[in-house]
């Protein structure tokens, strides 16, 4: 059984941490972890979570402190495992691209054979399909249950 380290004091973001407006617009809050805000991309074609480290001015992984790099790796793997459990996906894609939104954020995307663009990338494919309220709530509940196992 996996042990999670998400209890205790709430995480403290950098004092002037601000999330890029595009990340705020395109995603919805799921949970705040020790380092990152986990957010659900508002596109129901793929279960897609982004992790945004709560650090000011960071655009690259190597700009994080060694401790933050370790915490990010742990959170990334924990979220990926929860996505796999929640979705039974064929493959979990993890990427940090940042060509358009420079603020460091990690994509964790559950892919399934036969999904909207399998096996191609999700970026730039078609038009996002926002979650219906009940569909979003159902995914969030299943994901958070898997995350905290």
């Amino acid at each position: 059984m996996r042990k999670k380290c998400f209890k205790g004091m709430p995480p403290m973001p950098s004092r002037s941490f601000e999330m890029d407006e595009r990340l705020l617009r395109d995603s919805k809050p799921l949970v705040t972890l020790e380092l990152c805000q986990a957010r659900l991309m508002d596109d129901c074609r793929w279960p897609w979570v982004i992790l945004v480290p709560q650090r000011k001015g960071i655009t690259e992984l190597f700009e994080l402190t060694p401790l933050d790099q370790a915490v990010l790796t742990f959170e990334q793997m924990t979220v990926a495992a929860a996505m796999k459990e929640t979705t039974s996906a064929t493959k979990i894609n993890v990427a940090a691209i940042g060509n358009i939104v420079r603020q460091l954020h990690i994509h964790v995307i559950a892919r399934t054979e036969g999904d909207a663009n399998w096996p191609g990338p999700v970026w730039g494919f078609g038009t996002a399909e926002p979650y219906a309220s009940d569909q979003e709530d159902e995914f969030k509940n299943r994901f958070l249950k898997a995350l905290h196992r």
Side-chain angles (χ1 to χ4, degrees):
M1 180 170 201
R2 297 180 314 234
K3 183 177 178 184
K4 302 294 188 275
C5 300
F6 300 137
K7 298 185 184 206
M9 295 292 292
M12 296 299 295
S14 294
R15 290 186 184 199
S16 55
F17 168 77
E18 291 182 25
M19 190 161 319
D20 184 281
E21 66 182 47
R22 291 162 292 197
L23 296 176
L24 288 170
R25 180 185 64 230
D26 295 343
S27 65
K28 298 180 179 184
L30 277 172
V31 63
T32 299
L33 306 172
E34 293 298 319
L35 174 64
C36 296
Q37 287 186 27
R39 301 181 62 85
L40 177 65
M41 289 295 287
D42 196 14
D43 187 348
C44 68
R45 297 175 298 166
W46 301 280
W48 183 346
V49 172
I50 59 168
L51 295 172
V52 185
Q54 297 177 102
R55 298 294 184 258
K56 180 183 178 189
I58 300 294
T59 61
E60 306 292 347
L61 290 164
F62 58 79
E63 294 173 339
L64 291 170
T65 66
L67 178 58
D68 281 351
Q69 290 173 21
V71 172
L72 177 59
T73 299
F74 174 78
E75 291 180 357
Q76 179 180 299
M77 295 305 117
T78 303
V79 166
M83 288 287 279
K84 183 79 169 185
E85 182 178 330
T86 300
T87 66
S88 300
T90 305
K91 182 75 173 100
I92 301 296
N93 293 170
V94 179
I97 307 297
N99 294 339
I100 295 173
V101 176
R102 298 272 198 276
Q103 181 175 19
L104 180 61
H105 60 289
I106 311 300
H107 299 267
V108 182
I109 309 164
R111 299 297 307 273
T112 304
E113 289 184 54
D115 71 23
N117 197 35
W118 179 268
V122 298
W123 289 275
F125 179 80
T127 303
E129 297 175 16
Y131 280 92
S133 176
D134 59 332
Q135 184 184 28
E136 179 183 336
D137 290 343
E138 194 266 335
F139 176 81
K140 284 181 179 181
N141 289 336
R142 287 187 300 123
F143 173 78
L144 292 173
K145 185 176 178 182
L147 184 70
H148 290 99
R149 267 195 239 287

